[in-house]
Amino acid sequence: FLSFSSAFLLSHTRPDSPLAMDFSIEAQFAIDDVRAHVATAELDPKSTRQTAWIKIQTLEHKDIVVMLTMEGYKIVGEEPPESFDTLHGLLHNRSDEYVRAFYESVARRLENPSPPPPDSPTAAAGTGTG
């Protein structure tokens, strides 16, 4: 979540300012987060700093184009338009197979947790050496 100062800066920064959020970068992070739970997801090359388009094929083989702007994530062409704060939230709302795949991956991680990296504070605390 954004802090008040970050939200204020984003809401009061001109889109062409170097301080403005780059939505194509934000969209790529979102794609990386959901990629394992959809058939395909890619950033459209026409994306810009102000607007990013994400092409997604759900596990139900439904093709959607998602637009990311300051208003959030929206499915292009959907009426009435509905905004979501995250791509995960949008897919959770629109794809039952996304929800199933996501929760199956969470369950697998809980059943077989990965050990923390050797240099992490959690690993050091567990060994009694930290």
Side-chain angles (χ1 to χ4, degrees):
F1 292 103
L2 294 175
S3 67
F4 173 77
S5 59
S6 297
F8 179 84
L9 180 63
L10 285 175
S11 66
H12 289 83
T13 303
R14 291 190 356 238
D16 58 344
S17 165
L19 297 176
M21 185 169 185
D22 186 334
F23 287 105
S24 63
I25 293 172
E26 179 66 24
Q28 188 60 58
F29 283 126
I31 290 167
D32 293 344
D33 284 344
V34 303
R35 188 181 309 272
H37 315 299
V38 295
T40 62
E42 63 183 38
L43 185 65
D44 190 300
K46 69 180 179 180
S47 297
T48 66
R49 289 179 55 88
Q50 293 86 21
T51 306
W53 287 271
I54 305 168
K55 297 177 181 180
I56 297 173
Q57 184 180 66
T58 67
L59 293 174
E60 295 95 345
H61 303 290
K62 180 180 177 186
D63 293 319
I64 59 175
V65 176
V66 176
M67 179 175 64
L68 173 60
T69 66
M70 283 292 280
E71 296 175 8
Y73 293 86
K74 296 180 185 180
I75 296 177
V76 174
E78 186 175 80
E79 292 297 330
E82 184 176 0
S83 291
F84 293 86
D85 292 334
T86 64
L87 185 56
H88 170 78
L90 182 148
L91 289 167
H92 193 273
N93 188 274
R94 295 295 194 273
S95 171
D96 291 338
E97 287 298 308
Y98 175 84
V99 173
R100 182 194 57 74
F102 176 80
Y103 285 113
E104 283 179 1
S105 74
V106 170
R108 278 193 304 275
R109 287 185 199 162
L110 291 173
E111 290 171 1
N112 301 308
S114 300
D119 58 347
S120 74
T122 306
T127 62
T129 61

